[in-house]
Amino acid sequence: MTDSGILRLIDGEKHFSFEVLPPLKGNGTDALFRTIEKLQEFGPSYINITTHHSEYVYTELPNGLLERHRVRRRPGTIAIAAAIKQRFGIPVIPHVICSGTTIENIEYELLDLQFLGISNLLLLRGDKAADDKIFTPTPGGHAHTTDLIAQVNRFNEGFFADGTPIKNPGSTFFFGVACYPEKHEEAPNMEQDMAHLKTKQDMGAQYAVTQMFFDNQKYYDFVARARQMGITIPIIPGIKPIAKKTQLTMVPKTFHCDLPDALATEMIKCKDDDQVRQLGIEWTTQQCRDLYAHGVRTIHFYTVSAVDSVREVASRLM
């Protein structure tokens, strides 16, 4: 999605996009490409590709002690983005994150993306390591999304991170950011959280994609509040169909969003995951129809563990 792709978000037509994960190391691309093949018929505006940098894992030594070292379980975000673009012709937006990487490596990512003609990014801080109480940046890395934005802006201006001029600057990047209708887990309050979003807009973010939510009113209230604060960029709702009974407790804990009581009550009644999956399809379809009825024109789907559900929802909406 280039600048013209940004305009598609507000052109009055209905659009949708979806997010995929790079395959686990050594698994190949077959399953990922099957996911895209299931959804490409609906004409997605773009595909997000998540980034997972190195993380700490523990290996037990023969003496019973644990040794901590870094591994990268899902490499290849940039290569996957290029492969999707070439194979399917669908615009791609890879995630570029602060977590687990350095400023220098981010610079190499930007160069690679520029060489590949991929000009739209989603800039994120990324999750903290599982065993860290607070987010701890990698030595030589960024602590905040705004630091990452500043690096991309500097690159766009024709300078490397160390201030060295880029001899042939090339094309510039466009970028979006994340936002949280129910507040980021680390924000002290909603006011501070939205102030951060306003800062990201002021630094050049052209759109924002929300964390998943299941209660549309929370999205509407969030957008209204954002507009009052002078946040004018498109705020794209992020939606995920419930597909497993374990998500009744896992989703609120992992993604820090509430399940409406009506949805939770029906999930409790379900006898198995097949019934939960059908409930998720029905709930998400109604969510999307309500969003369209309220003037939303682009919806972003999180597909992990829910590809077939997303396909069914899309078929009902398109």
Side-chain angles (χ1 to χ4, degrees):
M1 190 168 68
T2 61
D3 52 342
S4 60
I6 292 292
L7 295 176
R8 289 189 66 192
L9 303 181
I10 53 175
D11 65 2
E13 299 296 324
K14 294 179 181 178
H15 303 291
F16 93 102
S17 59
F18 61 92
E19 179 177 285
V20 297
L21 276 68
L24 285 167
K25 184 170 64 176
N27 280 10
T29 59
D30 289 348
L32 172 62
F33 288 164
R34 284 196 297 272
T35 292
I36 297 170
E37 287 164 357
K38 289 180 179 181
L39 298 173
Q40 66 174 331
E41 67 179 278
F42 304 107
S45 296
Y46 62 91
I47 298 174
N48 269 153
I49 303 98
T50 65
T51 296
H52 299 259
H53 284 299
S54 57
E55 58 188 275
Y56 285 117
V57 298
Y58 292 88
T59 302
E60 186 172 356
L61 300 175
N63 61 8
L65 297 176
L66 295 177
E67 180 180 59
R68 189 172 81 159
H69 57 99
R70 282 188 172 273
V71 299
R72 190 170 183 185
R73 298 172 188 251
R74 294 182 184 272
T77 294
I78 294 175
I80 288 295
I84 292 171
K85 180 182 176 183
Q86 180 180 34
R87 178 167 176 151
F88 297 98
I90 300 171
V92 290
I93 303 181
H95 293 190
V96 177
I97 67 175
C98 305
S99 179
T101 193
T102 64
I103 294 170
E104 182 180 28
N105 284 336
I106 291 169
E107 191 163 86
Y108 292 144
E109 290 178 29
L110 297 178
L111 288 167
D112 286 344
L113 289 164
Q114 197 175 60
F115 293 154
L116 292 166
I118 296 172
S119 60
N120 201 298
L121 315 173
L122 192 67
L123 303 184
L124 309 164
R125 189 199 69 180
D127 296 331
K128 64 180 183 294
D131 54 343
D132 285 347
K133 292 183 178 180
I134 61 172
F135 179 82
T136 303
T138 297
H142 292 309
H144 305 287
T145 306
T146 48
D147 300 327
L148 176 58
I149 291 174
Q151 180 178 356
V152 173
N153 284 340
R154 191 69 170 148
F155 190 93
N156 283 342
E157 292 166 357
F159 296 93
F160 291 119
D162 64 0
T164 304
I166 302 173
K167 291 182 179 180
N168 297 292
S171 59
T172 57
F173 291 104
F174 303 89
F175 58 88
V177 294
C179 61
Y180 303 85
E182 297 175 67
K183 189 180 79 63
H184 189 280
E185 61 172 313
E186 297 174 21
N189 53 57
M190 183 60 83
E191 288 75 16
Q192 289 292 318
D193 200 24
M194 297 194 77
H196 288 310
L197 179 58
K198 177 65 163 58
T199 297
K200 293 171 189 176
Q201 172 188 273
D202 293 346
M203 293 182 71
Q206 296 197 10
Y207 59 95
V209 183
T210 76
Q211 173 63 281
M212 68 182 72
F213 60 89
F214 299 88
D215 181 347
N216 284 2
Q217 191 58 51
K218 292 186 177 182
Y219 169 78
Y220 302 141
D221 292 345
F222 178 81
V223 173
R225 198 167 182 177
R227 301 307 181 221
Q228 291 174 357
M229 291 185 64
I231 299 170
T232 59
I233 56 176
I235 299 175
I236 303 169
I239 302 294
K240 182 181 176 72
I242 288 288
K244 297 181 179 180
K245 198 157 188 175
T246 54
Q247 292 175 318
L248 180 66
T249 55
M250 182 274 290
V251 166
K253 179 180 179 180
T254 304
F255 298 101
H256 308 281
C257 57
D258 289 340
L259 297 180
D261 188 56
L263 175 59
T265 299
E266 292 304 313
M267 286 182 69
I268 293 170
K269 294 178 184 177
C270 292
K271 297 179 180 179
D272 52 37
D273 284 348
D274 286 340
Q275 290 187 0
V276 173
R277 177 180 172 275
Q278 192 57 43
L279 171 64
I281 290 170
E282 298 292 340
W283 185 275
T284 303
T285 300
Q286 292 306 312
Q287 260 196 288
C288 294
R289 286 175 175 162
D290 184 70
L291 287 164
Y292 284 143
H294 281 76
V296 171
R297 285 298 172 263
T298 185
I299 295 174
H300 186 67
F301 288 106
Y302 297 105
T303 67
V304 177
S305 301
V307 177
D308 291 333
S309 295
V310 170
R311 189 181 190 285
E312 177 62 26
V313 172
S315 69
R316 295 184 183 192
L317 295 173
M318 299 299 165

